[in-house]
Amino acid sequence: MSRLGVFVCHCGENIGATVDVTEVAERCKHMPGVAHAEDYKYLCSNPGQNKIKQAIEEHQLDGVVVAACSPRMHEPTFRRAVTDAGLNAYMCEVANLREHCSWVHEKADSTTEKAIDLVRLQVEKVKRNKPLDTIQVPITRSALVIGGGIAGIQAALDIADSGHKVIMVERSPALGGHMAQLSETFPTLDCSQCILTPRMVDVSRHPNITLLTYSEVEHVEGFIGNFKVAIRKRARMVDEDLCTGCGECLQKCPTKNVADSFNEGLSMRRAIYVPFAQAVPNIPVIDTENCRKFQGKKCDRCAKACPTKAIKFDQKDQIINVEVGAIVVATGYQVMGTERFPEYGYGTYPDVITGLQFERYASASGPTQGVIKRPSDGKEPETVVFLACSGSRDAAKGVKYCSKICCMYTAKHAMLLKHKNHHAKAYVFYMDIRSAGKNYDEFVRRAIEEDGVKYIRGRVSRIYEEDGKLIVKGADTLLGGEPVEIKADMVVLASAALPNHGQGELAQKLHVGTDPYGFVAEAHPKLRPVETTSAGIFLAGACQSPRDIPETVGQASAAAAKVTALLSRSHLAREPLVAEVNRKPAPQFSDCTGCLLCETACPYQAIGHEEIKDRNGNVLKTVAKINPGLCQGCGTCVSLCRTKAIDLHGYSNEQIFAEIMSL
Amino acid sequence: MRIGYYPGCSLTSSAREYDESVRAVCEVLDLTLVEIPDWNCCGASSAHVASEELALSLRARNLALAEAAGLDEILAPCAACFSRLASASVELADNPQKCQAVSEVVGMPYSGGVKVLNMLAVLERFKDEIAAKTDQSFRHKVACYYGCLLVRPTKVAQFDRVEDPQSMDQIMAAAGAKPVRWSSKTECCGTGLSTITRTELVANLSGRIVADAAKREAVAIVTACPMCQTNLDMRRPEINQKLQEEHRIPVLYVTQALGLAMGIDPQRLGLHRNMVPVELPEPEPEVVTTDDDDED
Amino acid sequence: MSSISHHDRQTTSLANKIQEVTGVALQNCYQCGKCAAGCPVAGDMEMPSCQVLRLLQYESPDYDRRVLESESIWLCLSCDTCHSRCPQTINTPKVMYFLREEAVRQGLAHPKSKDAQAFHKAFLGSVARHGRLHEIGMLMNYKVRTGHLFQDMTLGSKLYQKGKLELLPHGVKDKAAVKKLFKRTTGNKE
């Protein structure tokens, strides 16, 4: 016969005001198997926990039911307490009287009756609980960082600096991400590349970092501490060990008309190229879609020009398999293209550009060496209209959220225009100015007060071309909606930040959740902001939602701290609430018939099979086998098993049935 | 091929030339128009001033009559009629309860399956035939004017793209015309104001459209809406007075323009009924592409 | 200017009625002004669409009245440009339609709306009688109602010369069906 203790918590007024807690304790005393019951104001407090410990000793209890708030809140607290008193942690269960009873019902006798029922269920369960031990899983003490923008760079450097190995995978041929494309950064107007380039070099030189550019994650399996990742290293057609980065090949390539994606299509590049002058690594890539050689024409000019014979036309994609203990997702964002704006010409007006394109014009390394020009005729625009909230906060365009960075970069753009061309006129159409951040609002005021940027509160309804000008039709809502028409030379859309292309597929490979827009979802919006819904996989930067550089860097360091904490241990303790296939004496060996339906049904790929052999090695039976390291205890296999050969520790069929029968 | 035909009130009187040209062009295209027997007025903008129910029922009676006649698609050339009938069709589609309710009012069963098409949606299906039935000598620069009701509200129109639509441009191009790129395609001509004593506003709105078309060097404005045609054509004296310019650019129904390209007798197309005389200049000479151009 | 206090809020505000009848939720409007920016007649209104919606958002009797008495609601062309571009997909033309009807119901309609009302009456009268619109009959009726006897006279004769006006009405055959339809939906034969 069990000797159980029941402890009923008032949770202040939370439970006490609705449920007659004393009555619950009193009634529990008479339940079979209960040796002791009492109530207390706050069981989670130190004195409360001490009460439990004392009672265990005094009454020689072998199991405990705490009737309090949700087990998600304080189960660990109470389990620690019973362990201190010498019991196995899994001999303690929590009955949720708060969320499941007092918060959802009015004060009444029936509410108290329900509370008693809830306790009874747990009493019946604990009677059948068995002591369980945590599972120790070894940890592979290295990390994978996906994405080589500022988020990935910061996370990789922080993890590597703490002494752990990092593998960094970047899809494009070079590090830097969007930050490398930016001209100056708000609110200080320091040059983006100047502050970023040293970090990129640090990554490439760090002894703990293996950098794989032009590479993508192909396949991921495993679990926290033990991920197996296949990485596709795409063929550059250039031998990285032989290439010295001299650039001879680039000069000789006869294909000169490929839209340069680093310059957001505003200039042309060759078929063999380095994305930008300061690229890390400084090793070219042959774009096989545009290279004459790969389009079946005769050409090997780059190979002829190469002094080290580094051009390898026969290079193939490589699959690199790595094992890591943790993963950081830092895959960034993309901006909404101008073609998504029917009312602004569907992207057909060349002088309607995105903010990212404006950055390239404003950048000293850009297609115009930092002179603001317009795409149609290369002239310097006199009147430029900036449209904040282009596509953002626009439910009709599928983006309800604020893209967060636009208010600041739009102020910066208008300011840069005025700095570079004092005669130019800058107009900003906006809905709200969201400039919360250190020195941010001051920055916007500076654009308005010192640089004379004209801010107009209203959205623009339409843009069309007339007589070589762009007619911008807006309204001034501060003048009661009075129509405003501006004849502009160029229009810059602060277009919405969207999840990066390929983000959805990557999320599927990683088994991490995404939000309705496709951004990577955090485990908890407030308390676990850099963890994903999958243990051991963390996130940083704009892949979670639009954010600026300071926030991204802060978040990347936070993710790195989480990774470092994880990798600081050699083993990981996991809850032993896993499923197991039963074993029986020969000749039955197990109830499992080896149908292996469970293997295909398991959402965590935790089930395989094993062969039971005799001494001579003859296979007697094939049965399912569950890897306790991978099993998440979801119970899918248990419900599916036709011979009831699988049971879940801590939630056995026997326990569940006993709970139900007690009602 | 045959299709249900809903002329609507305008096409029997003030927009008679639209009806005449629709019939003439459809005959060339081998499209048989089956007039909905005993159709009634769609209620225009006035019916739901009296009651929403009246508005829906007036439209639904026409749909029910079409259904009874075995017509699952009907052509409503008048953009306003199209918009009203299509909105009823959309509202009643897949809504058996509403169909039931309206059937009782109308006194006829309606199951919700009749689809309403505008003139452009029908002509779009015949682009190849149009190209084949014309000698491509109608090389006029035309301004294709869609107005509001053919593209908006998008849920009702379910047709073309809402900004800078292309269907009419493509239809006219198939007939050999050179549609101009312009920005007033879907600007409102101001019909909604004709019922309130602000005709000067109508002249203003319609004037912008006429001026824009002229500026883009179009020799004709082509439309598929009797309201638009009336405002741009019949109100031309007020427009010219407002603009202080003498614009003589004619306003043709799309079927009138196609009819001319097909060589149909202008009398049959009702060209004599247009207020602004339809006098098109000699089309520009055809640009002959050399063999060299073709090769590169 | 009107001072707004909590007590001024009505339980049956116009905004409430609009939501009930048209399904349009005015609180969704965040005052971006895109409607006014694209409206062909915003410049001619004493208060453009966004301001009309703003006043209604207050749910105050004073502002509701100001909206109902305005000429703006009668200037709306129903061109749907605002609705098609609205980031919140607010059906402003539908709201304007409702406001006109409400203004007439409450006897607050702007004097200039009289013609419009007369037009709709004349139009419906013709449709109720013939099942189809008889333009001349309708126009004569309208002119008598409004007193604009000589407006567009020359235009009328020109239209007639062009064969664009029918002297005699060509109605539907089943007039009883139309009459019944009117009776069932409006409660009278109009």
Side-chain angles (χ1 to χ4, degrees):
Chain A
M1 188 69 184
S2 312
R3 292 187 59 78
L4 304 186
V6 176
F7 301 88
V8 191
C9 183
H10 293 250
C11 197
E13 296 278 285
N14 275 306
I15 299 171
T18 319
V19 172
D20 185 344
V21 175
T22 329
E23 168 76 7
V24 175
E26 199 50 46
R27 292 267 296 277
C28 287
K29 280 181 185 160
H30 307 296
M31 289 181 188
V34 174
H36 171 76
E38 63 179 304
D39 61 285
Y40 188 70
K41 206 81 179 159
Y42 285 107
L43 278 170
C44 58
S45 67
N46 264 335
Q49 293 182 45
N50 285 336
K51 271 194 172 301
I52 297 173
K53 291 180 203 170
Q54 281 162 14
I56 291 173
E57 262 171 55
E58 226 169 88
H59 302 282
Q60 287 160 15
L61 304 177
D62 56 12
V64 166
V65 173
V66 182
C69 57
S70 164
R72 294 192 62 132
M73 193 76 201
H74 277 307
E75 191 183 74
T77 312
F78 296 124
R79 286 195 165 159
R80 224 173 13 244
V82 303
T83 318
D84 287 349
L87 283 187
N88 181 283
Y90 292 90
M91 297 308 288
C92 168
E93 295 289 351
V94 175
N96 186 354
L97 296 197
R98 196 177 71 179
E99 283 83 345
H100 288 178
C101 190
S102 67
W103 275 1
V104 291
H105 300 299
E106 301 297 321
K107 181 175 180 169
D109 289 346
S110 53
T111 306
T112 301
E113 285 304 318
K114 176 176 172 182
I116 294 165
D117 282 343
L118 288 172
V119 179
R120 186 183 297 115
L121 291 174
Q122 294 308 317
V123 166
E124 289 308 313
K125 179 165 191 281
V126 177
K127 276 185 196 170
R128 290 158 182 85
N129 272 15
K130 294 188 178 74
L132 297 171
D133 293 317
T134 51
I135 299 170
Q136 295 292 319
V137 188
I139 291 178
T140 310
R141 298 171 82 174
S142 63
L144 170 74
V145 174
I146 307 171
I150 184 58
I153 288 172
Q154 184 68 38
L157 286 173
D158 283 1
I159 298 167
D161 282 346
S162 72
H164 299 293
K165 296 283 182 198
V166 176
I167 294 143
M168 175 175 243
V169 175
E170 163 57 40
R171 179 163 63 181
S172 78
L175 285 179
H178 285 312
M179 188 175 167
Q181 294 178 287
L182 307 184
S183 52
E184 270 108 71
T185 53
F186 59 79
T188 43
L189 291 187
D190 41 355
C191 153
S192 184
Q193 285 206 350
C194 309
I195 56 176
L196 178 66
T197 313
R199 296 293 178 100
M200 304 192 317
V201 176
D202 288 348
V203 168
S204 70
R205 291 212 181 128
H206 205 294
N208 280 343
I209 300 180
T210 307
L211 175 60
L212 297 171
T213 54
Y214 212 46
S215 303
E216 284 184 75
V217 170
E218 181 93 353
H219 182 71
V220 182
E221 57 179 42
F223 53 96
I224 178 169
N226 296 272
F227 293 106
K228 289 188 175 122
V229 184
I231 298 162
R232 175 177 293 272
K233 189 172 189 307
R234 291 164 62 201
R236 286 180 114 91
M237 309 299 165
V238 175
D239 187 316
E240 291 174 59
D241 297 326
L242 295 177
C243 175
T244 60
C246 70
E248 288 290 332
C249 54
L250 311 182
Q251 306 304 319
K252 296 295 187 309
C253 178
T255 306
K256 299 173 184 171
N257 57 351
V258 185
D260 186 343
S261 56
F262 183 77
N263 278 338
E264 293 293 316
L266 297 174
S267 67
M268 297 297 171
R269 62 159 169 81
R270 316 246 178 164
I272 183 166
Y273 70 104
V274 175
F276 53 104
Q278 301 79 5
V280 173
N282 182 23
I283 298 167
V285 172
I286 292 180
D287 161 7
T288 54
E289 272 176 30
N290 291 292
C291 170
R292 294 187 177 208
K293 172 95 179 168
F294 287 91
Q295 296 309 312
K297 291 179 183 154
K298 265 194 193 160
C299 181
D300 58 353
R301 290 193 210 173
C302 53
K304 274 195 184 138
C306 179
T308 61
K309 305 268 173 282
I311 309 281
K312 306 284 183 203
F313 291 120
D314 56 353
Q315 215 178 52
K316 294 273 176 299
D317 287 6
Q318 244 180 300
I319 300 292
I320 298 173
N321 294 300
V322 298
E323 291 187 12
V324 294
I327 297 174
V328 177
V329 185
T331 44
Y333 69 103
Q334 62 177 328
V335 298
M336 189 184 271
T338 50
E339 73 285 349
R340 295 266 301 266
F341 297 88
E343 69 275 42
Y344 305 154
Y346 293 99
T348 57
Y349 302 135
D351 296 331
V352 177
I353 65 172
T354 66
L356 212 45
Q357 289 177 314
F358 189 87
E359 291 285 349
R360 293 315 298 146
Y361 277 128
S363 169
S365 72
T368 54
Q369 285 78 45
V371 182
I372 308 289
K373 292 183 175 171
R374 63 179 202 172
S376 62
D377 54 9
K379 283 191 187 141
E380 289 189 47
E382 284 300 313
T383 303
V384 181
V385 177
F386 298 89
L387 309 190
C389 284
S390 290
S392 303
R393 303 170 71 195
D394 190 332
K397 286 196 169 49
V399 177
K400 284 187 186 171
Y401 56 86
C402 161
S403 287
K404 200 169 186 182
I405 51 177
C406 327
C407 282
M408 290 307 294
Y409 79 61
T410 294
K412 179 191 75 179
H413 286 172
M415 206 184 258
L416 289 178
L417 174 75
K418 298 287 275 188
H419 290 182
K420 286 165 189 279
N421 178 357
H422 300 305
H423 308 296
K425 288 197 183 83
Y427 297 93
V428 176
F429 280 93
Y430 72 101
M431 293 212 296
D432 298 287
I433 302 176
R434 296 183 169 175
S435 52
K438 188 169 175 171
N439 292 325
Y440 281 15
D441 205 54
E442 297 93 312
F443 183 79
V444 176
R445 292 312 309 169
R446 189 177 135 197
I448 296 169
E449 292 166 15
E450 289 175 33
D451 295 306
V453 178
K454 295 270 182 279
Y455 270 66
I456 303 167
R457 196 200 170 280
R459 263 189 197 272
V460 166
S461 172
R462 191 173 176 222
I463 298 170
Y464 59 91
E465 252 178 1
E466 201 173 279
D467 302 329
K469 292 272 185 186
L470 291 165
I471 311 298
V472 179
K473 286 181 73 114
D476 189 332
T477 55
L478 299 181
L479 290 177
E482 192 165 303
V484 177
E485 196 174 290
I486 298 174
K487 289 185 168 60
D489 300 305
M490 185 155 96
V491 177
V492 183
L493 307 183
S495 57
L498 304 174
N500 219 336
H501 62 101
Q503 180 69 73
E505 295 150 44
L506 181 67
Q508 277 189 346
K509 285 178 192 167
L510 294 167
H511 299 292
V512 298
T514 50
D515 68 17
Y517 305 109
F519 288 109
V520 180
E522 63 285 334
H524 188 283
K526 293 166 196 88
L527 301 177
R528 295 167 69 196
V530 296
E531 293 161 69
T532 67
T533 45
S534 275
I537 303 183
F538 305 89
L539 57 82
C543 66
Q544 183 206 12
S545 76
R547 47 175 41 94
D548 60 16
I549 297 168
E551 255 193 285
T552 296
V553 171
Q555 206 188 17
S557 285
K562 286 276 173 194
V563 170
T564 313
L566 173 63
L567 300 186
S568 67
R569 288 169 288 176
S570 64
H571 283 77
L572 191 72
R574 289 197 59 232
E575 284 225 279
L577 306 176
V578 295
E580 194 179 4
V581 182
N582 69 12
R583 279 308 182 86
K584 290 196 162 173
Q588 210 179 352
F589 303 110
S590 168
D591 286 329
C592 174
T593 58
C595 75
L596 297 177
L597 274 179
C598 53
E599 186 178 352
T600 47
C602 175
Y604 303 98
Q605 290 88 47
I607 305 183
H609 49 272
E610 68 174 331
E611 291 167 340
I612 297 169
K613 296 173 182 168
D614 66 11
R615 285 188 194 150
N616 301 324
N618 300 318
V619 177
L620 300 172
K621 192 171 186 183
T622 301
V623 295
K625 182 174 170 56
I626 297 168
N627 180 341
L630 291 173
C631 176
Q632 300 291 315
C634 71
T636 305
C637 55
V638 179
S639 56
L640 205 72
C641 182
R642 294 182 295 187
T643 56
K644 305 270 177 284
I646 311 180
D647 224 342
L648 187 58
H649 292 308
Y651 293 93
S652 67
N653 285 338
E654 187 202 354
Q655 288 172 310
I656 306 279
F657 288 134
E659 286 187 49
I660 297 167
M661 295 310 286
S662 76
L663 286 178
Chain B
M1 251 186 85
R2 65 201 279 278
I3 192 167
Y5 186 56
Y6 178 85
C9 307
S10 302
L11 270 73
T12 63
S13 55
S14 61
R16 172 165 290 168
E17 65 274 33
Y18 194 12
D19 178 70
E20 290 163 344
S21 58
V22 168
R23 290 178 191 275
V25 166
C26 287
E27 194 184 305
V28 173
L29 295 175
D30 253 342
L31 177 64
T32 312
L33 301 174
V34 185
E35 193 164 323
I36 298 175
D38 208 36
W39 58 268
N40 58 269
C41 170
C42 71
S45 59
S46 298
H48 66 134
V49 173
S51 102
E52 284 285 340
E53 220 188 341
L54 171 67
L56 182 64
S57 308
L58 279 173
R59 299 162 200 179
R61 179 171 180 270
N62 293 309
L63 299 178
L65 286 167
E67 198 172 76
L71 303 162
D72 51 1
E73 278 190 335
I74 55 175
L75 161 65
C78 166
C81 297
F82 157 72
S83 184
R84 313 285 168 205
L85 293 180
S87 84
S89 158
V90 168
E91 196 177 333
L92 294 173
D94 308 319
N95 194 341
Q97 274 176 319
K98 230 173 197 172
C99 280
Q100 181 64 36
V102 84
S103 294
E104 273 165 32
V105 175
V106 173
M108 284 182 78
Y110 179 60
S111 71
V114 176
K115 195 167 161 34
V116 186
L117 298 172
N118 68 51
M119 194 65 237
L120 299 179
V122 170
L123 289 174
E124 237 186 351
R125 298 176 179 174
F126 290 89
K127 263 188 281 189
D128 292 343
E129 286 84 345
I130 289 170
K133 301 279 186 189
T134 51
D135 64 1
Q136 301 295 306
S137 63
F138 191 84
R139 288 184 301 276
H140 296 288
K141 278 190 179 173
V142 295
C144 294
Y145 175 63
Y146 299 73
C148 307
L149 297 165
L150 292 174
V151 288
R152 290 186 300 258
T154 47
K155 231 193 212 161
V156 170
Q158 301 183 353
F159 167 72
D160 212 329
R161 50 188 211 182
V162 66
E163 308 275 354
D164 191 20
Q166 297 296 319
S167 53
M168 201 197 306
D169 294 67
Q170 287 164 5
I171 291 161
M172 288 311 300
K178 313 285 174 211
V180 298
R181 213 182 150 195
W182 67 319
S183 55
S184 303
K185 278 182 183 179
T186 56
E187 293 296 296
C188 180
C189 69
T191 289
L193 285 173
S194 54
T195 53
I196 183 167
T197 2
R198 296 287 294 256
T199 32
E200 85 283 4
L201 281 183
V202 183
N204 190 16
L205 295 171
S206 292
R208 280 188 224 158
I209 294 158
V210 170
D212 192 15
K215 192 167 158 185
R216 313 270 173 166
E217 293 174 343
V219 298
I221 297 173
V222 183
T223 176
C225 171
M227 318 290 141
C228 299
Q229 204 276 346
T230 305
N231 268 337
L232 302 183
D233 181 56
M234 194 178 85
R235 299 249 173 232
R236 187 62 61 83
E238 288 100 314
I239 289 172
N240 285 345
Q241 199 183 355
K242 177 94 192 167
L243 295 173
Q244 291 292 301
E245 284 166 49
E246 188 60 25
H247 287 289
R248 301 180 55 79
I249 180 170
V251 186
L252 296 172
Y253 285 106
V254 62
T255 39
Q256 287 183 310
L258 286 180
L260 284 176
M262 289 168 170
I264 301 173
D265 173 19
Q267 191 74 21
R268 280 190 65 204
L269 298 170
L271 283 187
H272 56 288
R273 300 192 203 276
N274 290 42
M275 292 288 180
V276 177
V278 183
E279 292 153 0
L280 301 181
E282 272 301 300
E284 289 166 30
E286 198 171 358
V287 184
V288 183
T289 50
T290 62
D291 287 344
D292 291 347
D293 287 344
D294 284 347
E295 228 161 66
D296 203 55
Chain C
M1 243 252 276
S2 127
S3 65
I4 302 293
S5 75
H6 181 73
H7 304 289
D8 291 336
R9 283 176 57 108
Q10 327 156 70
T11 43
T12 50
S13 63
L14 263 184
N16 268 333
K17 277 191 211 160
I18 288 168
Q19 174 134 33
E20 216 168 273
V21 176
T22 68
V24 179
L26 290 172
Q27 66 271 24
N28 289 7
C29 171
Y30 53 36
Q31 289 294 310
C32 71
K34 199 173 183 178
C35 51
C39 177
V41 287
D44 303 294
M45 290 175 164
E46 81 267 41
M47 48 165 120
S49 49
C50 60
Q51 225 186 337
V52 168
L53 300 192
R54 182 74 192 131
L55 289 170
L56 295 174
Q57 284 178 334
Y58 275 87
E59 301 187 60
S60 97
D62 287 356
Y63 284 176
D64 281 359
R65 195 183 167 94
R66 213 161 111 188
V67 166
L68 292 176
E69 285 175 341
S70 73
E71 189 198 8
S72 292
I73 59 175
W74 294 94
L75 287 182
C76 171
L77 300 159
S78 296
C79 73
D80 210 56
T81 305
C82 52
H83 178 210
S84 78
R85 292 184 188 149
C86 174
Q88 297 285 77
T89 333
I90 293 169
N91 196 335
T92 306
K94 209 169 179 181
V95 173
M96 294 294 188
Y97 242 114
F98 174 85
L99 290 170
R100 291 179 192 181
E101 290 166 28
E102 189 65 20
V104 172
R105 261 195 296 273
Q106 296 193 20
L108 297 173
H110 190 274
K112 282 203 177 162
S113 73
K114 270 200 301 233
D115 293 355
Q117 294 178 55
F119 176 86
H120 292 310
K121 279 216 178 88
F123 189 106
L124 279 185
S126 175
V127 175
R129 256 190 309 282
H130 311 297
R132 292 179 193 170
L133 177 67
H134 178 232
E135 281 175 343
I136 285 193
M138 188 273 282
L139 285 173
M140 295 303 283
N141 186 325
Y142 170 66
K143 283 179 189 304
V144 170
R145 280 176 195 264
T146 57
H148 302 314
L149 282 176
F150 300 102
Q151 191 192 322
D152 289 340
M153 274 300 264
T154 45
L155 191 63
S157 66
K158 236 180 168 181
L159 280 174
Y160 181 68
Q161 281 166 21
K162 293 267 183 189
K164 287 178 155 225
L165 288 179
E166 286 284 319
L167 284 179
L168 295 172
H170 290 279
V172 297
K173 288 190 204 91
D174 193 354
K175 292 204 170 57
V178 175
K179 282 217 169 74
K180 235 184 246 165
L181 191 153
F182 265 82
K183 200 171 183 183
R184 283 176 185 156
T185 54
T186 61
N188 60 48
K189 286 178 282 174
E190 167 60 21

